[in-house]
Amino acid sequence: MKAKHTDNILRLAREIQEIAKGLAPGKRHQIMNRCSRVNVLIRKTKDMDTEDNFTSRQIADRYNAKKAVFEAMCQGRKVSFLDSREFEVSEFHTTICKIRKDIDTKSLPWELKDRWISFGKYGKRCKEYWLERRMEP
């Protein structure tokens, strides 16, 4: 619902509540309660719009991150979860899985390669990924 319409509905509900103050107690409470219910529903709608925008932004951010990782690998770069901050990805392995799926489903001329690497003071391990062009048969 557009903000202009929402504001108009809220304003009209307040006006109705003011008019209802002059009515008998039974009718007054009935109208006041119904106006309050309208206000609650409008606020819930506003909250849902905000959540939808947030979700849409998250989806767009994930798509852009996947695209950036894929482009970096297409340019010959090797990447790992150690690059998560650069690409603004919280679950790097999920991004790689989606890239692998895209390569398969879209029959792209790439092969996703990986190997274990060690990093850090205690020799922790993670996978490093890169792309190699497929040889045409």
Side-chain angles (χ1 to χ4, degrees):
M1 191 179 306
K2 295 189 179 190
K4 176 181 160 186
H5 298 300
T6 303
D7 293 340
N8 284 339
I9 293 169
L10 291 172
R11 182 182 50 77
L12 290 170
R14 282 192 303 272
E15 288 176 14
I16 292 169
Q17 286 175 324
E18 283 298 315
I19 294 169
K21 286 181 181 178
L23 297 175
K27 283 290 179 190
R28 177 178 58 222
H29 293 305
Q30 184 181 20
I31 291 172
M32 299 289 261
N33 288 341
R34 294 214 172 129
C35 287
S36 294
R37 181 74 181 133
V38 168
N39 291 341
V40 167
L41 291 171
I42 287 174
R43 285 193 186 94
K44 282 185 179 180
T45 302
K46 277 185 172 181
D47 292 344
M48 284 176 25
D49 289 344
T50 305
E51 289 173 16
D52 289 345
N53 289 338
F54 180 70
T55 303
S56 298
R57 192 171 358 105
Q58 283 180 314
I59 292 169
D61 289 347
R62 276 189 230 124
Y63 172 81
N64 291 334
K66 180 180 79 165
K67 185 177 174 184
V69 171
F70 183 73
E71 287 174 0
M73 290 192 302
C74 283
Q75 295 170 0
R77 186 165 163 200
K78 293 182 178 183
V79 296
S80 71
F81 98 96
L82 300 172
D83 302 309
S84 295
R85 186 169 287 178
E86 173 189 347
F87 294 110
E88 298 179 4
V89 175
S90 61
E91 295 180 354
F92 198 82
H93 62 281
T94 303
T95 303
I96 294 297
C97 287
K98 290 182 182 220
I99 290 171
R100 181 176 277 129
K101 183 178 177 183
D102 283 350
I103 290 171
D104 292 340
T105 59
K106 296 176 183 177
S107 300
L108 298 176
W110 297 103
E111 195 171 337
L112 185 63
K113 299 286 189 171
D114 62 57
R115 70 178 176 129
W116 287 101
I117 60 169
S118 297
F119 68 95
K121 183 176 174 181
Y122 300 105
K124 293 184 178 184
R125 295 173 10 135
C126 70
K127 283 210 173 178
E128 178 180 63
Y129 303 92
W130 68 95
L131 292 174
E132 289 183 4
R133 213 169 249 293
R134 281 196 181 127
M135 296 296 165
E136 299 298 321

